[in-house]
Amino acid sequence: MATTATQSTGTNAQAAHYDYEVIVVGAGVSGIYQIKRLIDLGVRATVLDANDGLGGTWYNNRYPGARFDSESYTYGYSFSQELLDEWHWKERFSPQAETLRYLNFVVDKLNLREHMQFGCKVEKMIFDEQTDTWRLTLGDRRSLTSRVVITALGPLSTPTLPKIDGIDDFKGISFHPQQWPHDLTDLSGKRVAIIGTGATAIQIIPVVAQQAKHLTVFQRRANWAAPLNNGPISEQEMDSIRARYDEIFEACSRSPAAFEHIPDSRSFYDVPPEKRREFYDRLYDEPGFSIWLANFPEIFVDEKANAEISDYIAERIRQRVNDPAIAEKLIPKDHGFGIQRLPLETGYFEAYNRDNVELVDSKATPIERITATGLRTSERDFEFDVIVYATGFDAFTGAHDRVDIRGIGGQKLRDTWATGPITYLGMLVHGMPNLIMLGGPQVAAANFPRGSEVAVDWAMPLLQHLWNNGYTRFDATEASQRRWFENVKSSYEGLLMAKAQSWITGYNSNLKGHEYGHTRYNIFATGGVEYTKHLKAAAENDYQGIEFF
Ligand code: NAP
């Protein structure tokens, strides 16, 4: 019988002359919980992060209006009663600065900072088949070895800039919102362009509209959006939330996307049209994703149900936008409501009622080039002080592709994924031994921390199985990976979302191989409840689909 995990992991790394038993890459939401669990077990582990501070997404995305669309109290970690008791979420949907403060509070409370190294960009990871360890090369030229690497890189952490000529010619300030300059907090007096109308732009636009001298939004495809309905959380409300935490997390574990919002149990067709209308009215005024996730399940699979909710939301947009021609431009005509990830907004549509805001239809008059002073469309020249490229991310695979990861036989992960991701349970990749991904492709898309806790809670016993049995290597089999891929693929069947031009299908017009029409199966679309069952079944069956050496 092997020694306990604590004993073996505490000594193996030093005795075998590799630096760490586990290196976690990324100090965001997943990486923080992962290092907590490893340290609790006495494992020799560290976190490396390219940024100068922890928080991942919440460290980077400092654009005006940045906040999550998850109810704050469903976004916090559930594993520590102490954290739940002490933290007061001030708003129903916490803004970026407050969320970053929360993550720093967690790390300090749990004494995790000493296990984190910042300013360390991992550039290369090579698996050494002789020693069953990974060698990581960092941007600062250091080289570290580790038995296991756990990547916690974030599914939407690799920004993509548009492929537009002249992008380097602009003499003003330009950036992707993920890299919004930390000291650029006010755009008063500035002429601002925002390119793109995804969830990010939809958060930025109403805030910048109030500051900028003039804001021009370049919209290629309109995006559905619905009100966030945010509000403060008083001390008293927070006390009642604390008393309900078990119930709240239990509800999240029962919902497909790990939110409080549970799909309506009635069938769309069993509810008369006027009652459906009353139901939509109520959902539209409720906070968060209610209008999307607590709606009739048919809106995701049935064209008629989807058309009805789309017409309803279009009507609400028309009520909120003064100029009917602008309202029509803001109503998507190429896809139904909710088949792409729904952005939530605060005053987005009303922003277009302001005199200083202009909407340019980039489909009708495409952007031809960026110039020294602004940009040129097929129709005219514009002058700007600031251009914001809110043009999306290389979702799910981008963060891994940026690192030169080579497994068995020198196989590069980015080659394995060239035409789309392939994984086992979204956590392992055949031929990439001793590598665990948190929040990688082909997991269920969910309220992120809820999914992170599920993933870490699955990874820890897997590692203990490795250590307790004296193994030095684990690897998903090719057959199990193929089965999971087929499972993921079939999870898209029948869903209107399968037709989406979004990260769900791997669409990104700025990336080769991500064109619309070539589906990259980025998520397990059946949802979190079924996904968790798959993880559990694999673990209970002696890590079925994984070989140990
Ligand atoms: P996105 O949804 O991919 O939107 C990118 C936008 O840029 C689209 O409107 C796209 O138009 C446009 N675009 C891209 N390249 C262009 C070009 N060359 N010319 C003109 N327009 C171009 O990206 P995102 O807004 O950053 O959101 C990505 C994801 O991040 C969201 O789906 C969400 O999951 C997450 N997010 C979450 C929150 C939150 O929790 N509150 C906030 C922000 C983001 P086309 O559609 O025509 O390509």
Side-chain angles (χ1 to χ4, degrees):
M1 185 66 195
T3 53
T4 66
T6 311
Q7 289 162 336
S8 62
T9 55
T11 55
N12 274 356
Q14 288 137 338
H17 302 294
Y18 48 91
D19 298 308
Y20 293 97
E21 193 64 34
V22 181
I23 288 181
V24 179
V25 188
V29 169
S30 304
I32 292 170
Y33 178 44
Q34 182 61 75
I35 192 70
K36 161 74 180 147
R37 292 290 307 271
L38 290 164
I39 296 305
D40 280 356
L41 205 64
V43 177
R44 186 170 160 74
T46 191
V47 182
L48 306 176
D49 196 296
N51 287 331
D52 291 330
L54 61 92
T57 283
W58 302 108
Y59 182 90
N60 289 319
N61 284 279
R62 300 190 188 206
Y63 60 80
R67 62 176 71 243
F68 43 65
D69 292 339
S70 311
E71 279 72 7
S72 305
Y73 46 85
T74 70
Y75 196 91
Y77 294 110
S78 73
F79 67 85
S80 157
Q81 195 56 47
E82 205 181 2
L83 297 176
L84 295 172
D85 288 343
E86 288 187 26
W87 185 257
H88 177 171
W89 291 105
K90 301 280 184 344
E91 290 181 62
R92 198 170 179 103
F93 302 95
S94 177
Q96 173 271 332
E98 183 70 354
T99 307
L100 187 57
R101 203 167 74 76
Y102 168 73
L103 294 174
N104 276 279
F105 157 79
V106 170
V107 165
D108 289 333
K109 185 93 209 156
L110 305 176
N111 293 319
L112 299 175
R113 204 174 288 271
E114 62 188 280
H115 305 291
M116 297 179 167
Q117 305 179 46
F118 298 107
C120 315
K121 188 166 182 224
V122 177
E123 294 188 335
K124 200 184 242 190
M125 282 172 44
I126 311 277
F127 188 72
D128 182 338
E129 295 174 48
Q130 303 305 316
T131 58
D132 285 346
T133 55
W134 285 95
R135 176 170 293 280
L136 286 75
T137 309
L138 311 186
D140 58 13
R141 290 172 179 263
R142 270 191 304 153
S143 171
L144 293 174
T145 48
S146 184
R147 168 73 75 220
V148 173
V149 173
I150 301 183
T151 51
L153 303 175
L156 293 155
S157 57
T158 308
T160 48
L161 290 173
K163 284 191 286 187
I164 307 178
D165 287 345
I167 203 157
D168 295 327
D169 296 349
F170 185 58
K171 298 276 186 273
I173 313 170
S174 63
F175 45 82
H176 187 283
Q178 196 236 26
Q179 287 148 3
W180 195 284
H182 292 186
D183 55 355
L184 188 68
T185 50
D186 192 351
L187 293 172
S188 297
K190 302 269 193 272
R191 297 162 305 169
V192 181
I194 296 184
I195 300 177
T197 48
T200 303
I202 284 173
Q203 289 190 322
I204 298 172
I205 287 163
V207 184
V208 169
Q210 289 178 34
Q211 300 173 350
K213 182 174 169 198
H214 196 271
L215 168 63
T216 312
V217 177
F218 293 87
Q219 170 186 273
R220 197 166 55 183
R221 282 192 316 132
N223 210 342
W224 294 104
L228 178 66
N229 295 320
N230 190 19
I233 299 180
S234 67
E235 289 280 359
Q236 208 183 6
E237 279 166 309
M238 198 59 224
D239 283 344
S240 118
I241 287 167
R242 284 195 192 98
R244 288 190 298 113
Y245 262 133
D246 284 351
E247 201 184 301
I248 290 167
F249 291 129
E250 201 274 326
C252 291
S253 72
R254 278 187 291 118
S255 95
F259 289 97
E260 272 190 310
H261 314 286
I262 307 281
D264 198 84
S265 55
R266 298 165 300 171
S267 162
F268 170 87
Y269 292 100
D270 289 344
V271 180
E274 64 283 3
K275 292 282 173 210
R276 295 203 292 259
R277 167 93 207 183
E278 282 171 22
F279 179 53
Y280 302 149
D281 282 344
R282 179 164 64 72
L283 293 181
Y284 196 81
D285 291 338
E286 281 183 6
F289 282 132
S290 284
I291 187 73
W292 191 37
L293 302 179
N295 214 314
F296 299 112
E298 285 93 338
I299 69 164
F300 296 106
V301 291
D302 180 307
E303 299 276 5
K304 185 175 170 213
N306 187 267
E308 182 176 282
I309 185 68
S310 301
D311 288 347
Y312 174 85
I313 303 289
E315 208 181 297
R316 299 298 295 242
I317 295 171
R318 287 186 193 103
Q319 287 163 5
R320 292 174 58 185
V321 178
N322 297 344
D323 181 334
I326 295 177
E328 284 319 303
K329 279 189 188 169
L330 290 168
I331 297 169
K333 307 291 188 305
D334 66 333
H335 67 284
F337 174 80
I339 77 159
Q340 296 177 185
R341 193 286 204 184
L342 179 70
L344 296 180
E345 47 81 28
T346 305
Y348 173 66
F349 294 105
E350 288 75 9
Y352 294 97
N353 296 334
R354 299 175 63 98
D355 291 339
N356 67 332
V357 177
E358 180 182 1
L359 178 65
V360 175
D361 181 345
S362 290
K363 206 153 213 156
T365 56
I367 300 170
E368 291 188 337
R369 64 173 300 117
I370 306 295
T371 63
T373 52
L375 64 79
R376 182 174 306 144
T377 68
S378 59
E379 195 177 48
R380 68 178 172 106
D381 280 290
F382 291 80
E383 294 204 343
F384 298 114
D385 304 305
V386 178
I387 301 179
V388 181
Y389 297 111
T391 43
F393 294 88
D394 187 352
F396 285 91
T397 48
H400 286 90
D401 285 354
R402 267 199 306 192
V403 184
D404 184 0
I405 302 177
R406 301 182 197 193
I408 298 289
Q411 173 70 17
K412 293 184 182 180
L413 182 58
R414 64 168 79 110
D415 290 345
T416 305
W417 287 356
T419 57
I422 176 155
T423 71
Y424 180 49
L425 296 167
M427 307 253 329
L428 310 176
V429 180
H430 170 67
M432 301 289 154
N434 300 359
L435 173 66
I436 299 177
M437 300 176 296
L438 305 175
Q442 300 184 344
V443 299
N447 189 2
F448 195 74
R450 304 279 66 76
S452 292
E453 287 186 349
V454 167
V456 172
D457 291 348
W458 187 81
M460 286 309 296
L462 168 72
L463 292 178
Q464 285 173 277
H465 186 75
L466 176 88
W467 294 323
N468 290 345
N469 291 290
Y471 299 125
T472 57
R473 188 195 287 192
F474 61 90
D475 194 3
T477 66
E478 196 164 12
S480 62
Q481 177 165 278
R482 174 55 50 192
R483 270 197 305 277
W484 182 245
F485 179 78
E486 291 305 327
N487 228 327
V488 166
K489 201 171 160 198
S490 62
S491 75
Y492 280 57
E493 278 166 22
L495 291 180
L496 299 175
M497 279 179 171
K499 299 175 189 161
Q501 294 188 51
S502 74
W503 51 251
I504 294 167
T505 51
Y507 161 78
N508 182 321
S509 69
N510 302 304
L511 290 171
K512 207 164 167 274
H514 292 246
E515 295 81 12
Y516 182 62
H518 165 73
T519 302
R520 295 169 68 94
Y521 295 94
N522 276 340
I523 60 166
F524 175 65
T526 312
V529 179
E530 286 305 310
Y531 176 68
T532 308
K533 283 185 197 162
H534 281 285
L535 287 182
K536 200 163 170 251
E540 284 174 357
N541 288 299
D542 285 336
Y543 295 97
Q544 196 178 39
I546 305 169
E547 285 181 311
F548 292 84
F549 305 89

